Amino acid sequence: MRLRVEFTTEPFDLDEAPGHAVVAREVVQGAGLDAVDVGPFGNTAEGGADAVLTAVDALLRRTLAAGATRVSLQVNVIADPESNPESAPDAEGDR
């Protein structure tokens, strides 16, 4: 299963990235996730379920410890490009 996580940390500071935002970037960039996109108003990353869930745990723990007062996140299941549902056997099995 593949997951996409989208998250923001607060409080915002438009002049300089706060420490918790820097920590969030370090967590997702170091987690071995695919398609990491870090921006000033939102961040996304994709990967296998285990990697994403491990990263979310670290993200929450480390950003809160670094001064975040709010972490908003959303996790979605996404299609795995390597899986092909048409190749799965039907209820009666392949013949």
Side-chain angles (χ1 to χ4, degrees), residues 1 3 31-34 46-57:
M1 176 185 322
L3 301 176
L33 302 174
D34 308 327
E46 297 178 8
D50 287 340
V52 170
L53 295 173
T54 298
V56 166
D57 178 66

Side-chain angles (χ1 to χ4, degrees), residues 55-81:
V56 166
D57 178 66
L59 175 78
L60 291 171
R61 292 176 188 278
R62 293 186 54 201
T63 58
L64 293 170
T69 57
R70 179 179 177 150
V71 179
S72 301
L73 65 90
Q74 178 173 313
V75 178
N76 293 300
V77 175
I78 58 174
D80 187 343

Side-chain angles (χ1 to χ4, degrees), residues 30-44:
L33 302 174
D34 308 327
V36 173
D37 183 22
V38 177
F41 298 109
N43 310 283
T44 60

